[in-house]
Amino acid sequence: MIDDSKRDPDAILAKINKQSKGRLTVFIGAAAGVGKTYAMLEAAHERRSEGIDVAIGWVETHGRKETQALVEGLPAIPPRMLEYRGKQLIEMDLDAILSQRPQLVLVDELAHANVPGSRHPRRYLDIEELLEAGIHVYTTLNIQHLESLNDSIKQITGIHVRETVPDRFMERVDQVQLVDIPVEELIGRLKDGKVYVPDMAEKALTHFFRPGNINALRELALRQAASRVDQQMEEYRKTHGIDLPWPAADRVMACISSSPFGIHVLRRASQMAIHLKAELLVVYIEKPRYKEKGLQAQKTLNLNLQLAEDLGAKVISTYDSNIADGILSVARRYNVSQIVLGKPLRPRWLEIIQGSVVDEIVRGSAGMSVHVIPGDPEYIEKKEQTGPVRPKPRLIPYFGVSILVSLIVLCGQLGGEQLGLTNIGMLFLVPVLIASARWGFWPALYAAVTGVLCFDILFIPPVGRLTVQDTRYLITFLVFMAVALTISTLSDRLRYRVRDATRREARIRTLYDLARETTAVTDLNALIKTVVEHIARTLDAEAVILLPDYAGERINIAAASHPESPMAMESSELAVAEWCFHHEQISGSGTDTLPGAYGLYLPLLANEEKLGVMGIRTRDSHLTHEQNDLLQALNGLAALSIGRLKLARDAEEIRQLEASERLRTALFNSISHDLRTPLSAIIGSVTCLLEEGDIYGSEQRKQLLESIKKGSLRMNRVVGNLLDLARIESGLMRLHRDYYDLQDIIGVVLHQSEEVAQDHSVHVELAADLPLVKVDYVLIEQVLLNLLDNAAKYSPAGSDILLEGRLEAGEIILTVADQGSGIPPGQEEDVFNKFYRLQSPLSVSGSGLGLSICKGIIEAHGGRIWFENRQEGGSIVSIALPMEDTLRVQIDESSGEEAVSDGSTNPGH
C-alpha cells in the first residue's frame, strides 16, 4: 500500500493542473512513409468506437489509398482558405476547431510551418492553444524535425532540416507512440510509390533514404521514445510516492555568445542533458570591452537566447572582464557537472597572444567535464560579420596625445639641464596617464610608443638618432613601456568597470524609482499612468497597459504613453493583447505568436492571477537581452503594484461587507427588540380600541393613544438612526446649513424628549453671549436628542441631566452630563463605535448606533465630540462646534433693535 504522506506535493499539483488541459499523443517515426498517419487514424477509430467525439483537424494522406480509406470514416472540420502572394492556399481552421470543441482532434505534421497570415507561424503553437482549451490532440512527427537533433541529422543525412519543433514543446507530451518498420520494408514502399511520386522516390533513394541513414534515424527515434518512457516512469514514481534511491543529478551548462555557432553548442548540450536526464543551463558572459554590438550581432544573440528558452534551459546572463573566469564562476555557483562550449574559430597565433578561453576553462574545471564542440568553417565568415563591432578609431585622442608629447619635448628642450634625463623620462609618463584615463588603451599605447621614441631620438645620446651609446637605456625603455602598458591596461579596465557599475546602478535605480513611485500611489488609474510613463521613459519606447473589464472577458486600454500609437488605436493590436491576456503568454512582435503585430505584449501576472497586459514598442523594433531583462523586471514590479491595489480594494470590500453584515445583525436585533416591542404595544393598543373600544372611557382611550404615540416615536428613532448611519457611511449625507439660535434648537429638543427623559429632570444652562451658529438644524437637533436619550438610559430614575452651553477658546461647547455609573477607563473612544454598548446594571435597550451617528454628524460640521467621567459620578459628553461660521446678535440700546454682526470679528468691538 502506498503511503500518501510520501507523495510529492509538486507532482500532485502538476497532475491536477494537467488534468484541466488537453492530453497530447505524438506518433513518432524515423522518416516519412513508416505509417505514422495510418497508425494515428487507426487509433482515432478505436477512440471513436469507445464513444469519444473525434474530429479531423488536418490530415495529409499524400494520395495513399489505405490512408484515404481511414480518413473517410471520420468527421472532418473543413480547412480555411488563405491568400498568399496571389495564390489561394488551404490551412487548418484553428478557430473552427475551438468553436466545435471535439474531445479529440487529429492534427497531422506537427513541425509544419503555417501559411503567413495565420495566427501562429508554426503548427505546434496551434496545438498548444488546442491543449490549453482542454482538447486532446493526436499528431505525428518525424525524428529529424526535433530541434536538439538538428545537427546530428545534418551529419547523418547531409540535409539541413529547417522546420523543427523545440524540445520545450516535447516536454508536455503525455504519450509517445513509436511507429517503426524494417529498412527493407520502407525502401520497398518507397519503390512502390506509396511514399512519394516516382520521380521524387528515385531521388530520395539516392540521398535521404539510404539504408545507413534510415538505421541511424531509427536509432534516434528509439532513443527518443525510450527517453520519454523513462521520464514517464520517473513521474509515476514521484506521483505514487515510490521511495527508491535516486542517482545524483547532473547539470549541463552550455556557453554561448553572439556567434551563430552558438546554435550548434545549444543543440549538443540539449542532447547531452536529455540523455543524462540533467538540468540544462545556458550562460552568456558579457565582456565589458565589447559591449557595443552591431545590429546583426544583437539579433544573433537574441536568436541564441530564444533557442535556449525553447529548449527549456535556464538562461543566466552576467558580466565579467574575463570570459573564462565568468564561466567557471557560474559553473561552481550552480554545481555544474558538464560544460559544453564551442571551439574558437580564430587563428592560433591570436590565441597565443590573447590567451585561449577553452584552455583557461579546462585548467580551472576541477571536478567538471568540459566538452568542446568543433566549429564549422562555413560559419567563420558569418562570425566576422555578426561579431562584436568595435568603435571606429577617433583621431581626436591621438591628436591630443601628440600635443601633450610635444609639450613635454618643448619643456625638455628648454629646461633640460635643470631637469635631467631621468625627470624628462618620467614626464613622458604624463601623456600615458592622461590618455589611459580619458581615451582608453590604444591612445595610451600610442602615447607610450611616441614618448619612448621622442625620448630616445631627442634626448638620449647620440641625439637625432634612434640608436643609443649607453645600452643601459634599453632597460629604461623596457621598464617605461612595461609601466605604461600596465597603467593603460588597468586604467582601461577600470573605465569599463565603472561604466558597467554605472549601467547596473542605473538599472537598479530604475526599479527602485518605479517601486518608490508606485508604493505611494493608492489610485489604480494614477498607478497605471505612472508605470506607463516610467517604462516609456526608461526604455525610450511606446508603452500601453490594458486592464480587463468587470467580467474579466475583454480588456481595454487603461493608459498609453502615446495615445496615437497603433497599440492604442488599432483593433488588430487589441486582439493580440487579448490573446496574450487569455493565454497568459507573451505574444506579438519578436515572438512565435502573432509576430506581425506592431507591439510586444506581456501578461501582467501576480499570485497566479491575470491582472492585465503590458504592451511595448521600442524605436528599433527589437529588444536587446539587457532591455528584455529590464522589461521583465518592470513587468513583474508593475504586476505586483497592480495586485497590491487590487488586494487593498478587495480588503476594503471585505471590510465593507463585514460592516454591512454587522449592520444587518444590528438591524435584526433592532427588529427583534427595539422595533418589535413598541410595535407589539401599538398593535395591542389599536386592537383594544377597535374591538373593545366601547368599554373604555375617555381617560383610558387617551392612555392607549399615548401608548401608540410613544411606540411610534420609538420606532421612528430606531429607523431614523439606521437610515442616518447608512447615509453617513455611504457619503451621501449633505448638510443644509444656516444660522440658528442654539436656544431655539434646545427648546425643540426638550419638547421632543419629554417621553425619553420623563423619569429625569433636565436642567439647561446657556451662556448669555452665545452667537448664532451655522449648522444643519435637523441634524444638530437629532444629535442633542440622541445624547439626552443616552444620558437617560444610563442614569437611575429620578436623577438630574444637565445641558450646558458656553464659549471657550473660539469654540461653542455643548455638554450633556448625567449621574450614571460613568464610563470604564480606556473605553472613552469605543463608545462612538457602531453597535457598541456599555455594560450597565440598568436594563438598557438599543442598537448602539446613536453615539456613532452623533460623531459622524458633528465631524461633518467640522467639530469634535468626546466623553469623560465626572468627579462626582456619572459621565459628560461634550460637543465643540467651530466659531468661524457664527453671527453675533447685539441690542442697539438707543433704538432697542437687534443688530447682526459677523461672529468672526473681535468680540471686544
Side-chain angles (χ1 to χ4, degrees):
M1 184 174 179
I2 299 173
D3 185 6
D4 291 339
S5 63
K6 294 183 179 181
R7 294 187 178 185
D8 185 359
D10 293 335
I12 295 175
L13 289 175
K15 182 178 179 180
I16 295 174
N17 184 45
K18 202 170 186 179
Q19 288 174 351
S20 63
K21 300 179 181 180
R23 291 178 58 83
L24 176 61
T25 301
V26 176
F27 292 81
I28 193 170
V34 297
K36 303 180 299 299
T37 305
Y38 190 89
M40 178 181 69
L41 291 169
E42 280 189 328
H45 277 281
E46 293 179 4
R47 300 291 84 77
R48 193 182 184 199
S49 65
E50 296 170 358
I52 296 177
D53 180 17
V54 181
I56 294 178
W58 181 271
V59 167
E60 185 62 60
T61 63
H62 295 288
R64 300 165 192 160
K65 296 180 180 180
E66 301 89 346
T67 306
Q68 186 64 40
L70 290 175
V71 168
E72 293 174 355
L74 295 171
I77 298 175
R80 64 171 181 161
M81 300 294 296
L82 290 174
E83 184 175 351
Y84 180 66
R85 294 182 178 178
K87 297 180 179 180
Q88 294 292 328
L89 304 175
I90 59 172
E91 191 59 88
M92 183 179 73
D93 195 339
L94 178 61
D95 291 324
I97 298 174
L98 293 172
S99 177
Q100 185 171 325
R101 294 187 65 85
Q103 291 178 280
L104 173 63
V105 64
L106 310 184
V107 182
D108 205 2
E109 298 181 351
L110 174 62
H112 172 74
N114 292 334
V115 176
S118 303
R119 178 149 74 237
H120 302 296
R122 304 295 299 279
R123 183 162 290 170
Y124 74 86
L125 296 171
D126 294 338
I127 293 177
E128 276 190 341
E129 188 167 347
L130 293 173
L131 296 174
E132 292 293 330
I135 301 174
H136 305 314
V137 178
Y138 278 3
T139 187
T140 61
L141 177 70
N142 290 329
I143 192 64
Q144 66 261 29
H145 294 292
L146 198 59
E147 176 64 47
S148 63
L149 299 177
N150 195 272
D151 292 337
S152 299
I153 299 298
K154 183 179 179 181
Q155 292 177 5
I156 294 171
T157 64
I159 297 174
H160 179 67
V161 179
R162 299 187 181 278
E163 294 182 345
T164 57
V165 177
D167 293 59
R168 169 187 59 81
F169 178 83
M170 296 300 293
E171 289 295 324
R172 68 179 304 168
V173 174
D174 296 283
Q175 187 174 4
V176 173
Q177 295 279 359
L178 178 64
V179 181
D180 185 48
I181 59 175
V183 177
E184 295 78 8
E185 184 177 344
L186 177 58
I187 294 177
R189 296 190 62 189
L190 194 66
K191 292 180 178 179
D192 294 339
K194 296 182 178 180
V195 180
Y196 297 126
V197 294
D199 292 340
M200 292 182 60
E202 184 178 351
K203 184 177 180 180
L205 284 171
T206 58
H207 292 84
F208 191 88
F209 283 84
R210 290 181 294 182
N213 292 354
I214 297 174
N215 279 325
L217 294 174
R218 290 180 66 199
E219 182 179 355
L220 290 176
L222 290 169
R223 286 183 177 180
Q224 180 66 26
S227 174
R228 182 59 189 167
V229 170
D230 189 58
Q231 183 179 350
Q232 289 177 339
M233 180 60 70
E234 289 186 6
E235 292 175 357
Y236 177 84
R237 290 174 179 174
K238 289 183 180 180
T239 303
H240 291 77
I242 300 176
D243 192 12
L244 295 176
W246 298 93
D250 285 317
R251 188 170 280 113
V252 180
M253 185 177 76
C255 308
I256 65 171
S257 65
S258 58
S259 167
F261 184 61
I263 295 177
H264 298 269
V265 176
L266 285 171
R267 290 168 178 165
R268 187 63 61 86
S270 177
Q271 284 182 268
M272 185 181 299
I274 292 173
H275 293 158
L276 294 175
K277 293 176 278 189
E279 180 184 2
L280 177 61
L281 304 178
V282 173
V283 63
Y284 167 61
I285 305 297
E286 185 79 66
K287 190 174 181 181
R289 172 77 54 96
Y290 305 126
K291 280 282 184 80
E292 296 79 12
K293 291 183 173 59
L295 180 61
Q296 185 61 38
Q298 186 62 55
K299 288 183 177 179
T300 303
L301 176 61
N302 291 340
L303 288 174
N304 291 343
L305 295 174
Q306 182 63 46
L307 176 59
E309 293 178 357
D310 291 340
L311 294 172
K314 178 179 180 181
V315 180
I316 303 168
S317 177
T318 185
Y319 300 92
D320 203 299
S321 59
N322 187 290
I323 294 179
D325 291 343
I327 292 174
L328 292 172
S329 176
V330 173
R332 296 188 187 99
R333 190 188 317 148
Y334 289 91
N335 194 28
V336 170
S337 59
Q338 313 285 335
I339 299 177
V340 183
L341 67 159
K343 182 180 179 181
L345 299 175
R346 58 183 180 177
R348 178 60 180 166
W349 64 267
L350 192 58
E351 290 188 358
I352 296 175
I353 296 176
Q354 296 184 353
S356 172
V357 174
V358 174
D359 292 343
E360 293 181 24
I361 291 175
V362 171
R363 283 195 297 268
S365 60
M368 293 174 278
S369 300
V370 179
H371 305 266
V372 182
I373 308 303
D376 192 340
E378 71 180 59
Y379 282 91
I380 294 180
E381 184 178 352
K382 293 183 180 180
K383 177 180 173 62
E384 292 175 352
Q385 295 175 356
T386 62
V389 177
R390 296 175 175 83
K392 296 180 180 180
R394 297 177 299 167
L395 298 179
I396 293 178
Y398 300 95
F399 182 71
V401 168
S402 301
I403 293 176
L404 291 173
V405 173
S406 300
L407 291 175
I408 299 299
V409 171
L410 182 61
C411 291
Q413 293 292 343
L414 296 177
E417 296 181 358
Q418 291 79 11
L419 292 174
L421 291 178
T422 303
N423 291 328
I424 293 174
M426 295 299 293
L427 286 176
F428 278 108
L429 285 174
V430 174
V432 177
L433 294 173
I434 295 175
S436 60
R438 288 187 59 86
W439 299 310
F441 177 80
W442 295 109
L445 180 61
Y446 172 74
V449 174
T450 305
V452 168
L453 293 176
C454 290
F455 185 51
D456 180 20
I457 296 173
L458 300 177
F459 296 98
I460 302 298
V463 177
R465 300 179 61 183
L466 191 60
T467 58
V468 293
Q469 293 179 350
D470 191 347
T471 56
R472 290 177 296 178
Y473 279 109
L474 295 177
I475 299 176
T476 302
F477 296 157
L478 292 176
V479 172
F480 182 91
M481 289 298 299
V483 171
L485 289 175
T486 302
I487 293 174
S488 302
T489 303
L490 294 177
S491 199
D492 195 42
R493 288 183 179 179
L494 182 60
R495 275 197 322 119
Y496 282 112
R497 288 183 181 274
V498 169
R499 189 187 68 176
D500 292 340
T502 303
R503 294 179 65 173
R504 292 195 192 99
E505 190 273 337
R507 178 176 176 177
I508 295 173
R509 172 63 61 179
T510 296
L511 297 175
Y512 170 76
D513 289 343
L514 181 59
R516 180 172 51 105
E517 293 174 11
T518 54
T519 301
V521 177
T522 57
D523 180 69
L524 181 60
N525 293 329
L527 171 68
I528 295 171
K529 185 177 180 181
T530 299
V531 171
V532 165
E533 292 177 351
H534 195 94
I535 293 175
R537 183 173 62 253
T538 301
L539 297 176
D540 189 22
E542 301 173 15
V544 296
I545 286 184
L546 303 95
L547 296 182
D549 56 15
Y550 184 79
E553 295 296 330
R554 300 185 63 85
I555 58 175
N556 302 294
I557 297 291
S561 60
H562 297 72
E564 297 182 357
S565 169
M567 291 189 294
M569 300 286 291
E570 297 184 3
S571 59
S572 60
E573 295 295 313
L574 182 61
V576 178
E578 284 190 351
W579 192 95
C580 172
F581 175 75
H582 291 298
H583 293 80
E584 301 180 16
Q585 295 179 14
I586 300 176
S587 62
S589 177
T591 68
D592 290 333
T593 303
L594 303 168
Y598 178 80
L600 172 66
Y601 296 91
L602 301 88
L604 293 168
L605 305 174
N607 299 323
E608 299 182 356
E609 182 180 2
K610 298 184 293 186
L611 301 176
V613 173
M614 175 188 293
I616 188 169
R617 169 79 176 189
T618 56
R619 292 186 180 276
D620 52 3
S621 72
H622 81 281
L623 293 172
T624 64
H625 179 63
E626 185 176 0
Q627 285 178 322
N628 185 66
D629 288 343
L630 181 58
L631 178 61
Q632 294 288 350
L634 293 172
N635 176 268
L637 189 56
L640 288 176
S641 300
I642 296 174
R644 173 181 60 83
L645 287 188
K646 188 176 183 301
L647 289 176
R649 183 186 64 189
D650 294 343
E652 179 62 21
E653 290 179 355
I654 292 173
R655 188 191 67 79
Q656 292 179 358
L657 288 174
E658 290 178 350
S660 176
E661 180 64 23
R662 293 176 63 184
L663 181 61
R664 187 177 67 87
T665 304
L667 181 60
F668 285 156
N669 292 336
S670 297
I671 291 174
S672 63
H673 185 269
D674 295 334
L675 293 179
R676 192 172 183 180
T677 300
L679 184 61
S680 299
I682 292 172
I683 293 173
S685 299
V686 171
T687 302
C688 292
L689 289 174
L690 292 175
E691 296 179 356
E692 302 177 2
D694 296 337
I695 66 174
Y696 294 107
S698 60
E699 187 64 28
Q700 292 174 324
R701 291 172 63 86
K702 182 178 180 180
Q703 291 178 357
L704 289 174
L705 291 173
E706 287 291 338
S707 176
I708 293 173
K709 178 182 178 182
K710 291 179 181 179
S712 300
L713 292 174
R714 183 176 176 183
M715 290 176 60
N716 184 63
R717 284 197 302 273
V718 173
V719 173
N721 283 339
L722 292 172
L723 294 176
D724 290 338
L725 179 64
R727 285 194 300 162
I728 291 173
E729 293 198 338
S730 65
L732 297 177
M733 186 178 69
R734 299 291 181 267
L735 300 182
H736 303 285
R737 304 174 71 175
D738 204 347
Y739 290 100
Y740 297 101
D741 188 351
L742 285 174
Q743 191 169 1
D744 294 340
I745 298 176
I746 292 173
V748 175
V749 170
L750 292 177
H751 177 72
Q752 294 182 358
S753 65
E754 289 179 355
E755 184 267 333
V756 174
Q758 61 181 351
D759 296 330
H760 301 80
S761 298
V762 180
H763 302 280
V764 180
E765 296 181 3
L766 298 178
D769 59 345
L770 287 179
L772 299 181
V773 61
K774 192 175 184 180
V775 294
D776 188 308
Y777 186 96
V778 176
L779 295 180
I780 293 298
E781 177 186 309
Q782 182 178 351
V783 168
L784 294 176
L785 189 61
N786 281 347
L787 294 181
L788 289 176
D789 180 46
N790 185 77
K793 286 180 180 179
Y794 289 94
S795 299
S799 60
D800 295 334
I801 298 174
L802 179 61
L803 175 58
E804 289 184 322
R806 65 183 185 276
L807 289 177
E808 184 177 299
E811 293 179 318
I812 298 177
I813 307 297
L814 296 176
T815 61
V816 177
D818 61 56
Q819 295 180 345
S821 57
I823 302 172
Q827 299 186 25
E828 290 84 356
E829 293 295 329
D830 296 338
V831 294
F832 294 107
N833 295 335
K834 297 187 296 290
F835 318 116
Y836 186 88
R837 292 191 292 181
L838 290 173
Q839 298 295 326
S840 174
L842 303 175
S843 178
V844 179
S845 62
S847 57
L849 297 176
L851 293 178
S852 176
I853 294 172
C854 291
K855 182 179 181 182
I857 293 174
I858 295 301
E859 289 181 349
H861 281 79
R864 50 197 178 91
I865 184 171
W866 68 95
F867 255 101
E868 55 187 345
N869 288 320
R870 301 174 65 186
Q871 293 182 354
E872 60 271 24
S875 60
I876 301 176
V877 58
S878 301
I879 297 171
L881 294 173
M883 281 281 291
E884 57 266 20
D885 292 327
T886 62
L887 290 177
R888 186 175 298 278
V889 180
Q890 298 177 339
I891 304 297
D892 189 342
E893 296 180 356
S894 61
S895 62
E897 296 180 355
E898 292 184 351
V900 181
S901 63
D902 189 348
S904 61
T905 59
N906 192 326
H909 288 180

